[in-house]
Amino acid sequence: MTTLLLDALHEQASQFVDLRRDIHHHPELAFDEHRTSALVAEKLQAWGYEVERGLGGTGLVGRLVRGDGQRRLGIRADMDALPIDEATGLGYASCHAGVMHACGHDGHTAMLLAAAHHLAHRGRFSGTLNLIFQPAEEGGGGALRMMEDGLFDKYPCDAVFAMHNMPGWPQGRLILRDGPTMASSDYATVTLTGVGGHGAMPHRAADPVVAAASIVMALQSVVSRNIDPLQMAVVTVGALHAGKANNVIPQGAVLELSVRALDREVRSTLERRIKALVTAQAESFGVTAQVDWRPGYAVLVNTPEETAFARETALALLGPERVTLQGPALPGSEDFAFMLERVPGSYLLIGNGDGDSAGACMVHNPGYDFNDDNVAIGSAYWVLLAERFLTS
Ligand SMILES: [Zn+2]
Ligand SMILES: [Zn+2]
């Protein structure tokens, strides 16, 4: 049965490969995906989906209800491109200078549309299918914006799934993982205010440079002394700005921090300890500190039951040789994490190619391209997942 399904999705793949290349040729940055979302909406409507646009700006949902099944499934694809100058030399390379689909979101959109097409025409399911096309995954938090616009209130889901391509893995291999899978990413700006003065008379000043230097060193103790050694955590001071002249003690100093974790509790410990340590350190030097904490993406945690279901689906489609049952966690971030904080579900990877193949080029590289051979496999996976999930 799954061989027939793969054959069917292979047969219709070429039109969706063309569509993928068309989207690739016309990349759009976060919250600017007007052409892409119009294209997606037009297709879904033509196939009988009820479409709502304008969720989270350029996001949209296509809903298809069939039979009397009560279950509701959500599948998410992202649509945004990156501010990168494409250097692939491909015939369908970006027509917009400085903008490029370098993360394969063109492919994610095409895979979900290919599944949408098959499910509308030949899908055997009973229940509610919600196809979520989100804007601004690359740092803009498009998932959160869609949720703030009522995504899951208007389109309740019992589970939600998403797939990302991954260079360095064999083409078409499906990689699953339960538990924490991608890191949180938070940012902080620390502004130190002292008393400026003459470099020769430090006792008449309150030196923010010395305080900043001490804070940089003290921050190294947060990961080493406050976090369980078996947990992952990163505290990086990526920028430190202070002073202009060798004989002037400046008035202030600014530090920029990047903070990552793979566990929600570790993430909150990092925030608490960093704030406490910075404040106390500054005070000990007679300097005041203001910490502007900017929460970024949450830790992405795949729920066990839904991941087990996603795994069984992968095994049913491809067999054990082409499925990794528990892949590694990744230090990158993904805003699908916000959806998983609200609804149980799982985020999986599909290999984009390994070794010397073109698909092995890393995402966010100007030479990267989504592997079109994944359109059939990725869409077949979504079809099978929907048909297995939405049974009455
Ligand atoms: Zn990316
Ligand atoms: Zn991406």
Side-chain angles (χ1 to χ4, degrees):
M1 174 227 158
T2 52
T3 319
L4 287 177
L5 178 63
L6 270 170
D7 288 348
L9 274 297
H10 268 295
E11 265 166 43
Q12 64 152 40
S14 70
Q15 59 172 302
F16 292 98
V17 167
D18 290 346
L19 189 75
R20 199 286 288 182
R21 295 180 175 190
D22 177 67
I23 297 171
H24 188 93
H25 187 52
H26 300 95
E28 295 171 304
L29 291 173
F31 296 121
D32 198 30
E33 307 91 339
H34 299 287
R35 182 186 184 274
T36 311
S37 67
L39 191 152
V40 171
E42 181 203 311
K43 297 281 180 200
L44 292 175
Q45 262 157 356
W47 302 332
Y49 286 78
E50 174 197 330
V51 173
E52 180 175 355
R53 298 188 64 188
L55 284 165
T58 41
L60 71 145
V61 176
R63 174 160 65 183
L64 194 61
V65 183
R66 188 167 287 175
D68 53 7
Q70 295 302 302
R71 299 240 283 172
R72 303 151 307 178
L73 171 67
I75 304 177
R76 185 220 69 169
D78 39 16
M79 302 187 290
D80 57 321
L82 283 157
I84 293 176
D85 255 319
E86 179 157 355
T88 58
L90 293 163
Y92 53 87
S94 171
C95 67
H96 301 308
V99 185
M100 175 192 176
H101 268 295
C103 205
H105 299 183
D106 48 347
H108 305 162
T109 299
M111 288 192 296
L112 190 53
L113 276 178
H117 178 262
H118 183 93
L119 283 163
H121 294 90
R122 298 167 68 177
R124 280 168 297 190
F125 66 92
S126 178
T128 302
L129 178 65
N130 296 308
L131 303 184
I132 303 162
F133 291 85
Q134 80 154 77
E137 189 287 319
E138 299 285 1
L144 201 54
R145 286 279 301 279
M146 286 190 82
M147 290 166 68
E148 285 163 0
D149 281 354
L151 173 63
F152 292 123
D153 305 311
K154 292 176 173 180
Y155 304 93
C157 294
D158 298 307
V160 66
F161 296 87
M163 189 190 302
H164 204 294
N165 77 96
M166 192 47 66
W169 290 83
Q171 180 266 317
R173 170 171 279 272
L174 294 173
I175 302 123
L176 299 106
R177 178 183 167 86
D178 57 28
T181 296
M182 295 190 73
S184 59
S185 56
D186 298 320
Y187 307 94
T189 301
V190 175
T191 306
L192 301 173
T193 307
V195 179
H198 197 295
M201 289 175 273
H203 61 296
R204 303 284 299 276
D207 190 345
V209 175
V210 175
S214 183
I215 286 169
V216 171
M217 295 313 294
L219 284 173
Q220 309 309 310
S221 73
V222 175
V223 173
S224 70
R225 300 293 89 178
N226 300 133
I227 303 299
D228 181 337
L230 296 179
Q231 294 277 12
M232 173 274 201
V234 178
V235 178
T236 289
V237 181
L240 199 173
H241 303 288
K244 286 197 175 87
N246 57 28
N247 62 348
V248 177
I249 293 170
Q251 193 81 10
V254 176
L255 297 86
E256 299 287 352
L257 277 60
S258 168
V259 181
R260 287 174 188 257
L262 259 178
D263 176 272
R264 288 169 186 157
E265 211 171 302
V266 169
R267 185 189 188 198
S268 62
T269 303
L270 289 171
E271 177 178 357
R272 183 171 48 78
R273 283 300 301 146
I274 289 169
K275 284 178 174 172
L277 193 145
V278 165
T279 307
Q281 282 277 317
E283 197 185 339
S284 74
F285 289 96
V287 164
T288 61
Q290 193 198 329
V291 183
D292 172 26
W293 192 269
R294 297 185 302 284
Y297 290 177
V299 183
L300 187 148
V301 184
N302 286 330
T303 52
E305 201 179 311
E306 286 68 26
T307 304
F309 177 78
R311 247 184 222 125
E312 288 158 19
T313 306
L315 288 170
L317 185 72
L318 297 177
E321 272 80 54
R322 298 178 68 192
V323 176
T324 297
L325 297 177
Q326 182 74 350
L330 299 170
S333 301
E334 160 67 66
D335 72 348
F336 186 63
F338 295 123
M339 293 193 185
L340 290 179
E341 283 188 326
R342 174 86 182 265
V343 179
S346 200
Y347 176 84
L348 68 144
L349 303 175
I350 182 165
N352 201 58
D354 59 352
D356 296 329
S357 71
C361 178
M362 203 49 186
V363 290
H364 294 210
N365 181 293
Y368 165 85
D369 192 31
F370 179 82
N371 193 328
D372 282 325
D373 292 338
N374 278 339
V375 169
I377 295 175
S379 56
Y381 181 78
W382 287 141
V383 169
L384 187 60
L385 183 104
E387 290 186 341
R388 292 183 73 236
F389 193 88
L390 300 174
T391 50
S392 53

